[in-house]
Amino acid sequence: MMSATVQSTGTVGPQETLGDRMHALAARLYPICRSITGNGVRQSLRILSEMIPLELHEVPSGTPVFDWTVPREWNIRDAYVANARGERVIDFRRHNLHVVQYSAPVRARMTLDDLRSRLFSIPERPNAIPYRTSYYKETWGFCLTDTQLRALQPGEYEVVIDASLTDESLTYGELFLAGETDEEVLFHAHCCHPSLANDNLSGLVVAAFLADALAKADRRYSYRFLFLPGTIGPITWLARNEQRVSRIRHGLVLSGIGDAGPFTYKRSRRSDAPIDRAMQHLLTSAAGTAQIRDFDPYGYDERQYCSPGFNLPVGCLMRTPHGTYPEYHTSDDNLDFLRRDSLEESLRLLVDLVYLLERDRRCVNLSPKGEPQLGKRGLYRSTGGTGVDARHMALLWVLNLSDGSFSLLDIADRAHLPFRLIEEAASELETAGLLRPGPQ
Ligand code: ZN
């Protein structure tokens, strides 16, 4: 069922790899000035809608959502600082990180000394523009490279931010794929960062490709994909869907999964939820370089799903953790920083996760008294005298532990064998009449 269709995601033209296609989508989204509200988010979600049947929701500014209020909508058309000769020395048109996100509109003339407290750079990384926001405190400012800042001459400057903060709405994207049960698997990606590639385009792109693959597959679980602005997005979604969240069986926040680093998985607040065990199994049986971290109440939007009033089984998948790489939240987190092979590997890991979640089950051995004779059923593979191969071991483990109390994931962990091998062994044994589904 599941796997065949999902794997067909990899069927691409002879020259173009799956990673190329993923990177190309990121490149299309990269120049758009997204924020927690506004036309940049709408435009980005519409681009994703070309690929997956995403539903766009608009929540009016001023709507109370738990302890928060949906903010005014921010849109920006232009912004610059120009010198006395009219030359733009800081220009939003060159890079949308040049403006502090949610800057209030301004038109002023001021001296460099007066302007200085509004200018932000990173002295330790002199050629990078920092990413700064001020969503909930009205202010304005510009970000620039430290090299640019040092080159500014004393004198008077024209300062323009042609932006608006208006009572409109907050936009988010949602895709629900119904399965055989109404139990849900949730995937979340934030969509509020402007021209930053790993932090947040990698999550958007991988989630969109996964959703596309799942939309074409048979599904036991229902799947929900959320493309939300950071913090206020999941808080808004949770406030509007409180009655529905008990259906969420497994959830994952996807963020920063396109850089060259190894995977990092942050456990849910519960720490032993099935998603935690599944990710641990997949990551430790793979490359071996992955890190598993315990939950802490800082980070991405797992914070909202794992707040004590919800305590949902939602973990977070990253590669290099946020804040620990020098490109993080700067203009150096760009399309060159985003690796095609990393995007593709992240997608494949999630396809493996879905396969595991879909097919994990408890089984009962129908011939539990002594080992059943595998040879007469064509299941005996050992070449005799040279030891047993992993496939044969998988059959023996499944038969031995299938007393109805252990799931296939339990067996895979105990056998130190990949889930897929254990699952294939279980399917073979079911076909041979040696195994039946147990209590779930
Ligand atoms: Zn970020």
Side-chain angles (χ1 to χ4, degrees), residues 2 7 44 54 64 66 70 87-88 130 146 157 170 180 202 214 218 245 291 295 331 340 345 350 372 424 437 439:
M2 199 60 235
Q7 284 171 336
S44 303
L54 204 57
F66 300 130
V70 173
E87 295 159 345
R88 291 184 175 212
D146 204 59
Y157 287 86
L170 173 148
E180 287 165 27
S202 66
L214 281 170
D218 291 333
V245 298
Q291 265 197 54
F295 177 79
S331 54
R340 288 163 174 76
E345 188 190 34
L350 296 175
E424 284 166 2

PDB file of all heavy atoms in Angstrom, residues 2 7 44 54 64 66 70 87-88 130 146 157 170 180 202 214 218 245 291 295 331 340 345 350 372 424 437 439:
ATOM      1  N   MET A   2       0.960   1.881   1.151  1.00  0.00           N
ATOM      2  CA  MET A   2       1.740   3.093   1.377  1.00  0.00           C
ATOM      3  C   MET A   2       2.996   3.286   0.527  1.00  0.00           C
ATOM      4  O   MET A   2       3.095   4.204  -0.252  1.00  0.00           O
ATOM      5  CB  MET A   2       2.165   3.064   2.854  1.00  0.00           C
ATOM      6  CG  MET A   2       2.590   4.376   3.410  1.00  0.00           C
ATOM      7  SD  MET A   2       1.249   5.503   3.281  1.00  0.00           S
ATOM      8  CE  MET A   2       2.073   6.763   2.397  1.00  0.00           C
ATOM      9  N   GLN A   7       7.158   6.130  -2.682  1.00  0.00           N
ATOM     10  CA  GLN A   7       8.486   6.074  -3.298  1.00  0.00           C
ATOM     11  C   GLN A   7       8.480   6.599  -4.723  1.00  0.00           C
ATOM     12  O   GLN A   7       9.512   7.012  -5.225  1.00  0.00           O
ATOM     13  CB  GLN A   7       9.008   4.637  -3.247  1.00  0.00           C
ATOM     14  CG  GLN A   7       9.490   4.289  -1.839  1.00  0.00           C
ATOM     15  CD  GLN A   7       9.803   2.827  -1.701  1.00  0.00           C
ATOM     16  OE1 GLN A   7       9.297   1.998  -2.439  1.00  0.00           O
ATOM     17  NE2 GLN A   7      10.642   2.501  -0.745  1.00  0.00           N
ATOM     18  N   SER A  44       3.225  32.914  -1.147  1.00  0.00           N
ATOM     19  CA  SER A  44       3.993  31.678  -0.952  1.00  0.00           C
ATOM     20  C   SER A  44       3.062  30.475  -0.878  1.00  0.00           C
ATOM     21  O   SER A  44       3.319  29.437  -1.488  1.00  0.00           O
ATOM     22  CB  SER A  44       4.813  31.770   0.339  1.00  0.00           C
ATOM     23  OG  SER A  44       5.661  32.889   0.291  1.00  0.00           O
ATOM     24  N   LEU A  54      -3.914  22.902  -1.081  1.00  0.00           N
ATOM     25  CA  LEU A  54      -3.840  23.608   0.191  1.00  0.00           C
ATOM     26  C   LEU A  54      -5.040  24.535   0.349  1.00  0.00           C
ATOM     27  O   LEU A  54      -5.444  25.205  -0.593  1.00  0.00           O
ATOM     28  CB  LEU A  54      -2.556  24.437   0.165  1.00  0.00           C
ATOM     29  CG  LEU A  54      -1.883  24.846   1.458  1.00  0.00           C
ATOM     30  CD1 LEU A  54      -1.551  23.640   2.311  1.00  0.00           C
ATOM     31  CD2 LEU A  54      -0.587  25.607   1.115  1.00  0.00           C
ATOM     32  N   PRO A  64      -9.117  37.207  19.384  1.00  0.00           N
ATOM     33  CA  PRO A  64      -8.395  36.660  20.541  1.00  0.00           C
ATOM     34  C   PRO A  64      -8.111  35.175  20.344  1.00  0.00           C
ATOM     35  O   PRO A  64      -8.995  34.426  19.924  1.00  0.00           O
ATOM     36  CB  PRO A  64      -9.357  36.894  21.713  1.00  0.00           C
ATOM     37  CG  PRO A  64     -10.689  37.173  21.109  1.00  0.00           C
ATOM     38  CD  PRO A  64     -10.525  37.498  19.664  1.00  0.00           C
ATOM     39  N   PHE A  66      -6.400  32.304  22.700  1.00  0.00           N
ATOM     40  CA  PHE A  66      -5.830  32.048  24.028  1.00  0.00           C
ATOM     41  C   PHE A  66      -5.310  33.360  24.618  1.00  0.00           C
ATOM     42  O   PHE A  66      -6.055  34.324  24.689  1.00  0.00           O
ATOM     43  CB  PHE A  66      -4.763  30.944  23.974  1.00  0.00           C
ATOM     44  CG  PHE A  66      -5.317  29.621  23.474  1.00  0.00           C
ATOM     45  CD1 PHE A  66      -4.684  28.915  22.460  1.00  0.00           C
ATOM     46  CD2 PHE A  66      -6.487  29.096  24.008  1.00  0.00           C
ATOM     47  CE1 PHE A  66      -5.211  27.714  21.997  1.00  0.00           C
ATOM     48  CE2 PHE A  66      -7.013  27.886  23.547  1.00  0.00           C
ATOM     49  CZ  PHE A  66      -6.366  27.207  22.545  1.00  0.00           C
ATOM     50  N   VAL A  70      -4.618  38.085  17.379  1.00  0.00           N
ATOM     51  CA  VAL A  70      -4.104  38.096  16.002  1.00  0.00           C
ATOM     52  C   VAL A  70      -3.706  39.532  15.653  1.00  0.00           C
ATOM     53  O   VAL A  70      -4.509  40.455  15.793  1.00  0.00           O
ATOM     54  CB  VAL A  70      -5.170  37.553  15.024  1.00  0.00           C
ATOM     55  CG1 VAL A  70      -4.717  37.727  13.578  1.00  0.00           C
ATOM     56  CG2 VAL A  70      -5.462  36.080  15.325  1.00  0.00           C
ATOM     57  N   GLU A  87      21.445  58.545  -3.390  1.00  0.00           N
ATOM     58  CA  GLU A  87      21.818  57.140  -3.619  1.00  0.00           C
ATOM     59  C   GLU A  87      21.310  56.280  -2.461  1.00  0.00           C
ATOM     60  O   GLU A  87      21.524  56.632  -1.297  1.00  0.00           O
ATOM     61  CB  GLU A  87      23.348  57.000  -3.696  1.00  0.00           C
ATOM     62  CG  GLU A  87      23.955  57.723  -4.873  1.00  0.00           C
ATOM     63  CD  GLU A  87      25.447  58.012  -4.682  1.00  0.00           C
ATOM     64  OE1 GLU A  87      25.954  57.918  -3.533  1.00  0.00           O
ATOM     65  OE2 GLU A  87      26.085  58.353  -5.689  1.00  0.00           O
ATOM     66  N   ARG A  88      20.678  55.172  -2.802  1.00  0.00           N
ATOM     67  CA  ARG A  88      20.175  54.257  -1.761  1.00  0.00           C
ATOM     68  C   ARG A  88      21.356  53.491  -1.157  1.00  0.00           C
ATOM     69  O   ARG A  88      21.924  52.612  -1.802  1.00  0.00           O
ATOM     70  CB  ARG A  88      19.174  53.283  -2.354  1.00  0.00           C
ATOM     71  CG  ARG A  88      17.863  53.932  -2.775  1.00  0.00           C
ATOM     72  CD  ARG A  88      16.889  52.871  -3.271  1.00  0.00           C
ATOM     73  NE  ARG A  88      15.595  53.479  -3.557  1.00  0.00           N
ATOM     74  CZ  ARG A  88      14.428  52.841  -3.414  1.00  0.00           C
ATOM     75  NH1 ARG A  88      14.390  51.591  -3.005  1.00  0.00           N
ATOM     76  NH2 ARG A  88      13.286  53.449  -3.683  1.00  0.00           N
ATOM     77  N   PRO A 130      21.717  40.742   9.140  1.00  0.00           N
ATOM     78  CA  PRO A 130      20.941  39.987  10.131  1.00  0.00           C
ATOM     79  C   PRO A 130      19.441  40.010   9.826  1.00  0.00           C
ATOM     80  O   PRO A 130      18.958  40.878   9.082  1.00  0.00           O
ATOM     81  CB  PRO A 130      21.229  40.714  11.443  1.00  0.00           C
ATOM     82  CG  PRO A 130      21.631  42.088  11.064  1.00  0.00           C
ATOM     83  CD  PRO A 130      22.230  42.013   9.680  1.00  0.00           C
ATOM     84  N   ASP A 146      27.839  44.683   8.311  1.00  0.00           N
ATOM     85  CA  ASP A 146      28.701  45.562   9.093  1.00  0.00           C
ATOM     86  C   ASP A 146      29.617  46.366   8.165  1.00  0.00           C
ATOM     87  O   ASP A 146      29.954  47.514   8.461  1.00  0.00           O
ATOM     88  CB  ASP A 146      29.510  44.735  10.099  1.00  0.00           C
ATOM     89  CG  ASP A 146      29.949  45.591  11.274  1.00  0.00           C
ATOM     90  OD1 ASP A 146      29.067  46.151  11.954  1.00  0.00           O
ATOM     91  OD2 ASP A 146      31.169  45.719  11.485  1.00  0.00           O
ATOM     92  N   TYR A 157      20.430  61.855   6.048  1.00  0.00           N
ATOM     93  CA  TYR A 157      19.910  60.766   5.218  1.00  0.00           C
ATOM     94  C   TYR A 157      18.386  60.861   5.107  1.00  0.00           C
ATOM     95  O   TYR A 157      17.716  61.322   6.025  1.00  0.00           O
ATOM     96  CB  TYR A 157      20.291  59.414   5.822  1.00  0.00           C
ATOM     97  CG  TYR A 157      21.761  59.086   5.655  1.00  0.00           C
ATOM     98  CD1 TYR A 157      22.695  59.533   6.586  1.00  0.00           C
ATOM     99  CD2 TYR A 157      22.203  58.355   4.553  1.00  0.00           C
ATOM    100  CE1 TYR A 157      24.042  59.254   6.429  1.00  0.00           C
ATOM    101  CE2 TYR A 157      23.542  58.075   4.385  1.00  0.00           C
ATOM    102  CZ  TYR A 157      24.463  58.513   5.324  1.00  0.00           C
ATOM    103  OH  TYR A 157      25.793  58.245   5.160  1.00  0.00           O
ATOM    104  N   LEU A 170      -4.662  37.293   9.365  1.00  0.00           N
ATOM    105  CA  LEU A 170      -3.518  36.381   9.402  1.00  0.00           C
ATOM    106  C   LEU A 170      -3.868  35.206   8.496  1.00  0.00           C
ATOM    107  O   LEU A 170      -4.984  34.692   8.548  1.00  0.00           O
ATOM    108  CB  LEU A 170      -3.295  35.904  10.840  1.00  0.00           C
ATOM    109  CG  LEU A 170      -2.255  34.815  11.116  1.00  0.00           C
ATOM    110  CD1 LEU A 170      -1.646  35.055  12.508  1.00  0.00           C
ATOM    111  CD2 LEU A 170      -2.827  33.399  11.059  1.00  0.00           C
ATOM    112  N   GLU A 180      -8.156   5.907   6.456  1.00  0.00           N
ATOM    113  CA  GLU A 180      -9.165   4.936   6.888  1.00  0.00           C
ATOM    114  C   GLU A 180      -9.681   5.257   8.282  1.00  0.00           C
ATOM    115  O   GLU A 180     -10.829   4.981   8.600  1.00  0.00           O
ATOM    116  CB  GLU A 180      -8.554   3.525   6.909  1.00  0.00           C
ATOM    117  CG  GLU A 180      -8.328   2.941   5.533  1.00  0.00           C
ATOM    118  CD  GLU A 180      -7.408   1.720   5.591  1.00  0.00           C
ATOM    119  OE1 GLU A 180      -7.362   1.036   6.637  1.00  0.00           O
ATOM    120  OE2 GLU A 180      -6.724   1.477   4.589  1.00  0.00           O
ATOM    121  N   SER A 202      13.277  25.128   3.838  1.00  0.00           N
ATOM    122  CA  SER A 202      13.507  23.680   3.818  1.00  0.00           C
ATOM    123  C   SER A 202      12.283  22.939   4.361  1.00  0.00           C
ATOM    124  O   SER A 202      11.851  21.944   3.775  1.00  0.00           O
ATOM    125  CB  SER A 202      14.755  23.326   4.628  1.00  0.00           C
ATOM    126  OG  SER A 202      14.559  23.599   6.007  1.00  0.00           O
ATOM    127  N   LEU A 214       1.861  11.745  -0.223  1.00  0.00           N
ATOM    128  CA  LEU A 214       0.815  11.119   0.594  1.00  0.00           C
ATOM    129  C   LEU A 214      -0.564  11.264  -0.032  1.00  0.00           C
ATOM    130  O   LEU A 214      -1.419  10.394   0.123  1.00  0.00           O
ATOM    131  CB  LEU A 214       0.820  11.730   1.994  1.00  0.00           C
ATOM    132  CG  LEU A 214       1.913  11.186   2.913  1.00  0.00           C
ATOM    133  CD1 LEU A 214       2.007  12.014   4.184  1.00  0.00           C
ATOM    134  CD2 LEU A 214       1.615   9.743   3.256  1.00  0.00           C
ATOM    135  N   ASP A 218      -2.558   5.287  -0.580  1.00  0.00           N
ATOM    136  CA  ASP A 218      -3.561   4.790   0.368  1.00  0.00           C
ATOM    137  C   ASP A 218      -3.068   5.127   1.766  1.00  0.00           C
ATOM    138  O   ASP A 218      -1.872   5.062   2.032  1.00  0.00           O
ATOM    139  CB  ASP A 218      -3.690   3.266   0.252  1.00  0.00           C
ATOM    140  CG  ASP A 218      -4.316   2.873  -1.062  1.00  0.00           C
ATOM    141  OD1 ASP A 218      -5.071   3.692  -1.615  1.00  0.00           O
ATOM    142  OD2 ASP A 218      -4.032   1.762  -1.546  1.00  0.00           O
ATOM    143  N   VAL A 245      -8.018  18.294  18.480  1.00  0.00           N
ATOM    144  CA  VAL A 245      -6.607  17.924  18.675  1.00  0.00           C
ATOM    145  C   VAL A 245      -6.428  16.551  19.329  1.00  0.00           C
ATOM    146  O   VAL A 245      -5.362  15.954  19.201  1.00  0.00           O
ATOM    147  CB  VAL A 245      -5.831  18.984  19.486  1.00  0.00           C
ATOM    148  CG1 VAL A 245      -5.813  20.310  18.758  1.00  0.00           C
ATOM    149  CG2 VAL A 245      -6.389  19.123  20.883  1.00  0.00           C
ATOM    150  N   GLN A 291      21.513  13.126  16.249  1.00  0.00           N
ATOM    151  CA  GLN A 291      21.404  13.442  17.681  1.00  0.00           C
ATOM    152  C   GLN A 291      19.953  13.364  18.108  1.00  0.00           C
ATOM    153  O   GLN A 291      19.084  13.861  17.405  1.00  0.00           O
ATOM    154  CB  GLN A 291      21.808  14.904  17.893  1.00  0.00           C
ATOM    155  CG  GLN A 291      23.226  15.120  18.275  1.00  0.00           C
ATOM    156  CD  GLN A 291      23.358  16.530  18.852  1.00  0.00           C
ATOM    157  OE1 GLN A 291      22.647  16.916  19.772  1.00  0.00           O
ATOM    158  NE2 GLN A 291      24.262  17.293  18.268  1.00  0.00           N
ATOM    159  N   PHE A 295      13.129  17.084  25.200  1.00  0.00           N
ATOM    160  CA  PHE A 295      12.298  18.277  25.048  1.00  0.00           C
ATOM    161  C   PHE A 295      12.807  19.396  25.959  1.00  0.00           C
ATOM    162  O   PHE A 295      13.283  19.151  27.064  1.00  0.00           O
ATOM    163  CB  PHE A 295      10.847  17.940  25.431  1.00  0.00           C
ATOM    164  CG  PHE A 295       9.935  19.129  25.384  1.00  0.00           C
ATOM    165  CD1 PHE A 295       9.439  19.587  24.173  1.00  0.00           C
ATOM    166  CD2 PHE A 295       9.594  19.812  26.543  1.00  0.00           C
ATOM    167  CE1 PHE A 295       8.613  20.698  24.125  1.00  0.00           C
ATOM    168  CE2 PHE A 295       8.773  20.920  26.500  1.00  0.00           C
ATOM    169  CZ  PHE A 295       8.283  21.374  25.283  1.00  0.00           C
ATOM    170  N   SER A 331      21.587  36.668   6.169  1.00  0.00           N
ATOM    171  CA  SER A 331      21.485  36.532   4.712  1.00  0.00           C
ATOM    172  C   SER A 331      22.355  35.394   4.187  1.00  0.00           C
ATOM    173  O   SER A 331      22.248  35.028   3.017  1.00  0.00           O
ATOM    174  CB  SER A 331      21.869  37.850   4.043  1.00  0.00           C
ATOM    175  OG  SER A 331      23.153  38.261   4.485  1.00  0.00           O
ATOM    176  N   ARG A 340      20.730  20.193  -1.958  1.00  0.00           N
ATOM    177  CA  ARG A 340      19.767  19.326  -2.643  1.00  0.00           C
ATOM    178  C   ARG A 340      19.715  17.932  -2.009  1.00  0.00           C
ATOM    179  O   ARG A 340      18.652  17.369  -1.782  1.00  0.00           O
ATOM    180  CB  ARG A 340      20.153  19.201  -4.120  1.00  0.00           C
ATOM    181  CG  ARG A 340      19.894  20.458  -4.915  1.00  0.00           C
ATOM    182  CD  ARG A 340      20.655  20.440  -6.241  1.00  0.00           C
ATOM    183  NE  ARG A 340      20.305  21.588  -7.065  1.00  0.00           N
ATOM    184  CZ  ARG A 340      20.745  22.821  -6.870  1.00  0.00           C
ATOM    185  NH1 ARG A 340      21.564  23.090  -5.854  1.00  0.00           N
ATOM    186  NH2 ARG A 340      20.378  23.805  -7.668  1.00  0.00           N
ATOM    187  N   GLU A 345      17.218  13.740   1.319  1.00  0.00           N
ATOM    188  CA  GLU A 345      17.394  12.782   2.417  1.00  0.00           C
ATOM    189  C   GLU A 345      16.350  13.024   3.510  1.00  0.00           C
ATOM    190  O   GLU A 345      15.815  12.078   4.100  1.00  0.00           O
ATOM    191  CB  GLU A 345      18.807  12.902   2.982  1.00  0.00           C
ATOM    192  CG  GLU A 345      19.143  11.825   4.000  1.00  0.00           C
ATOM    193  CD  GLU A 345      20.454  12.088   4.726  1.00  0.00           C
ATOM    194  OE1 GLU A 345      20.815  13.261   4.975  1.00  0.00           O
ATOM    195  OE2 GLU A 345      21.122  11.105   5.057  1.00  0.00           O
ATOM    196  N   LEU A 350      11.258  11.059   6.128  1.00  0.00           N
ATOM    197  CA  LEU A 350       9.846  11.209   6.490  1.00  0.00           C
ATOM    198  C   LEU A 350       8.979  10.159   5.796  1.00  0.00           C
ATOM    199  O   LEU A 350       7.984   9.701   6.365  1.00  0.00           O
ATOM    200  CB  LEU A 350       9.373  12.626   6.156  1.00  0.00           C
ATOM    201  CG  LEU A 350      10.089  13.706   6.977  1.00  0.00           C
ATOM    202  CD1 LEU A 350       9.680  15.093   6.516  1.00  0.00           C
ATOM    203  CD2 LEU A 350       9.810  13.539   8.463  1.00  0.00           C
ATOM    204  N   PRO A 372       8.017 -22.997  14.155  1.00  0.00           N
ATOM    205  CA  PRO A 372       7.352 -23.598  12.990  1.00  0.00           C
ATOM    206  C   PRO A 372       8.403 -23.966  11.932  1.00  0.00           C
ATOM    207  O   PRO A 372       9.468 -23.353  11.878  1.00  0.00           O
ATOM    208  CB  PRO A 372       6.430 -22.491  12.491  1.00  0.00           C
ATOM    209  CG  PRO A 372       7.015 -21.229  13.033  1.00  0.00           C
ATOM    210  CD  PRO A 372       7.726 -21.568  14.298  1.00  0.00           C
ATOM    211  N   GLU A 424       8.580  -6.481   6.665  1.00  0.00           N
ATOM    212  CA  GLU A 424       8.516  -7.390   5.514  1.00  0.00           C
ATOM    213  C   GLU A 424       8.434  -8.846   5.978  1.00  0.00           C
ATOM    214  O   GLU A 424       7.712  -9.654   5.396  1.00  0.00           O
ATOM    215  CB  GLU A 424       9.717  -7.155   4.586  1.00  0.00           C
ATOM    216  CG  GLU A 424       9.553  -5.879   3.766  1.00  0.00           C
ATOM    217  CD  GLU A 424      10.848  -5.412   3.097  1.00  0.00           C
ATOM    218  OE1 GLU A 424      11.894  -6.098   3.227  1.00  0.00           O
ATOM    219  OE2 GLU A 424      10.808  -4.343   2.459  1.00  0.00           O
ATOM    220  N   PRO A 437      -3.085 -10.587  12.704  1.00  0.00           N
ATOM    221  CA  PRO A 437      -3.088  -9.331  13.448  1.00  0.00           C
ATOM    222  C   PRO A 437      -3.507  -9.588  14.891  1.00  0.00           C
ATOM    223  O   PRO A 437      -4.403 -10.389  15.148  1.00  0.00           O
ATOM    224  CB  PRO A 437      -4.126  -8.470  12.724  1.00  0.00           C
ATOM    225  CG  PRO A 437      -4.277  -9.077  11.381  1.00  0.00           C
ATOM    226  CD  PRO A 437      -4.002 -10.552  11.553  1.00  0.00           C
ATOM    227  N   PRO A 439      -4.091  -7.798  19.057  1.00  0.00           N
ATOM    228  CA  PRO A 439      -4.792  -6.639  19.632  1.00  0.00           C
ATOM    229  C   PRO A 439      -4.000  -5.366  19.371  1.00  0.00           C
ATOM    230  O   PRO A 439      -2.795  -5.360  19.591  1.00  0.00           O
ATOM    231  CB  PRO A 439      -4.831  -6.976  21.140  1.00  0.00           C
ATOM    232  CG  PRO A 439      -3.719  -7.947  21.354  1.00  0.00           C
ATOM    233  CD  PRO A 439      -3.542  -8.704  20.090  1.00  0.00           C
TER     234      PRO A 439
END
